[in-house]
Amino acid sequence: MGNRVKAIVSYDGTLFSGYQVQPEKRTVQGELEKALARIHKGDKWKVTGSGRTDTGVHSIGQTIHFDTTLSIPAERWPNALNSLLPEDIMVREVTYVDPDFHARYDTVGKEYVYQVNNSKKKNIFKRNYMYHYPYELSLSEMKRAAVLLMGTHDYSSFSSPRTSVVDKVRTIFHVGIEKKEDEWIFRYIGTGFLYQMVRILTGTLLEVGKGKIEADIIPSIIEGKDRDLAGPTIPGNGLYLTKVFYEKQKLQEELDKLQKSM
Amino acid sequence: MGNRVKAIVSYDGTLFSGYQVQPEKRTVQGELEKALARIHKGDKWKVTGSGRTDTGVHSIGQTIHFDTTLSIPAERWPNALNSLLPEDIMVREVTYVDPDFHARYDTVGKEYVYQVNNSKKKNIFKRNYMYHYPYELSLSEMKRAAVLLMGTHDYSSFSSPRTSVVDKVRTIFHVGIEKKEDEWIFRYIGTGFLYQMVRILTGTLLEVGKGKIEADIIPSIIEGKDRDLAGPTIPGNGLYLTKVFYEKQKLQEELDKLQKSM
């Protein structure tokens, strides 16, 4: 089969029906597989991603693997693929990896960022890249809630019931909230996230910030294991898959770095 | 006929075939007229803009007028229209004006901004909002050229030959260049601009910055009155119509303010 390639891929999710291939739909995986089929002069080429992202969700860190029969140097792969990809997907970095590396099964953690535009008026130029939430927010209340969201828990209350995943226990290592003028950035690092989990976590934090949910009841929301207890599922347009970790040491370094800056 | 309304309109030009109505095409004017027809419960409603903008060109300052038979208070007009407009157009500000006010004929000046992303790598999230130009730029050379571009001249060399406009004399009061990390902002204020003029002016300044055109030859480019002498017409995606002036005093105040900050 040749060599296994690992690649980090950015995409603007606006015009995609999510990451995962679906018949008749424009998907990120579909476009990647088309480009790889062309470069290999084949009919089909298989790409494996670290996981799916939903319609409208963006990436600067999605990680994939594929096998190749070509001997292109790693540093030339990005340009070779980008010249065949549409302008809303970009391969950022390529490395050759062990033939048993697996983009999905080998993950040890992921980072997602959710961006909120908190200005009074909408900004039409940001409509696809930030969620517009014009209400006054209490940073201190949201930070109090963020701490209570971390840990190892069954996150059933924070995931869409429309999923086949049975084990809903995950570990969230970090929930960070930064404010930059009227833009807010919510950062999550965990072992993995359930379907719509980051959108529900952020939807809940915003209701805490607005005063609609009290920070103190976060533990009882988690314990209730009931989707109806948490805040709303906010849109995918503010969500970015920013990093996928494959080495525990790298994950720990990232967490240490964030710890220091807090 | 009732009252004449003046409105300032933002739009994301990405998905429009420009400002001006064209059959079978999605245009800004077309969407505005549709919304006004609906609010007036009429078949058609006429909107007059300060001028057209091309495909992909954005606005935060386009100014229009229309006549209304409704007695909606000025401060309620934006929400009334925005609820009927698509999410890539937004009415920002509405005032009632004299019945002889004309959005096109009464202009005394316009401001355009052209945004350039000068980073080595493309940023897919900015692809519709900035022109990507990855070459090293000399700010001092571009500033030297900018001064030579100002004044009252026949700007034939800086306009597309595909125009029916005969008199190509315009006055440019201000050409400003600002740098913010790897983003460059080119700001132009003038009496008016010819077809594609701001895109050609910026295309020329970039070639000066890159060292391909010498700043000193700008006067001879102007004097030559030949489109082939100037730099390329760069894409519309980096261009924004930011202000339309109807009062000489307001225009002068803006120029004084920019003068002071230089």
Side-chain angles (χ1 to χ4, degrees), chain A residues 62-196:
Chain A
Q62 173 69 290
T63 305
I64 60 166
H65 82 252
F66 60 86
D67 291 319
T68 185
T69 48
L70 303 171
S71 47
I72 298 175
E75 68 276 15
R76 296 230 185 119
W77 264 108
N79 283 345
L81 282 173
N82 290 333
S83 66
L84 299 171
L85 284 165
E87 57 171 10
D88 46 0
I89 304 185
M90 189 172 73
V91 173
R92 295 176 56 199
E93 211 184 296
V94 164
T95 43
Y96 282 102
V97 286
D98 280 351
D100 62 351
F101 170 84
H102 195 285
R104 183 158 159 223
Y105 301 140
D106 293 355
T107 60
V108 296
K110 283 186 183 174
E111 180 190 80
Y112 279 94
V113 160
Y114 197 100
Q115 294 197 1
V116 172
N117 173 14
N118 192 219
S119 64
K120 287 269 169 295
K121 290 199 173 178
K122 271 194 192 180
N123 180 331
I124 55 168
F125 301 104
K126 291 180 179 161
R127 72 189 187 288
N128 297 321
Y129 306 106
M130 290 195 179
Y131 175 51
H132 183 235
Y133 195 78
Y135 310 103
E136 212 170 301
L137 295 170
S138 160
L139 178 59
S140 59
E141 285 304 297
M142 289 196 291
K143 285 205 163 173
R144 229 153 56 82
V147 172
L148 298 167
L149 285 168
M150 291 192 265
T152 300
H153 302 287
D154 180 316
Y155 285 98
S156 296
S157 298
F158 295 90
S159 86
S160 165
R162 291 184 290 126
T163 175
S164 56
V165 175
V166 179
D167 178 12
K168 298 199 174 174
V169 175
R170 296 291 183 276
T171 298
I172 302 183
F173 302 113
H174 174 86
V175 180
I177 307 172
E178 295 159 52
K179 188 177 185 258
K180 238 178 158 183
E181 289 168 33
D182 51 12
E183 295 176 9
W184 293 70
I185 292 173
F186 297 81
R187 185 184 307 273
Y188 303 86
I189 301 180
T191 49
F193 294 88
L194 299 161
Y195 185 48
Q196 297 187 337

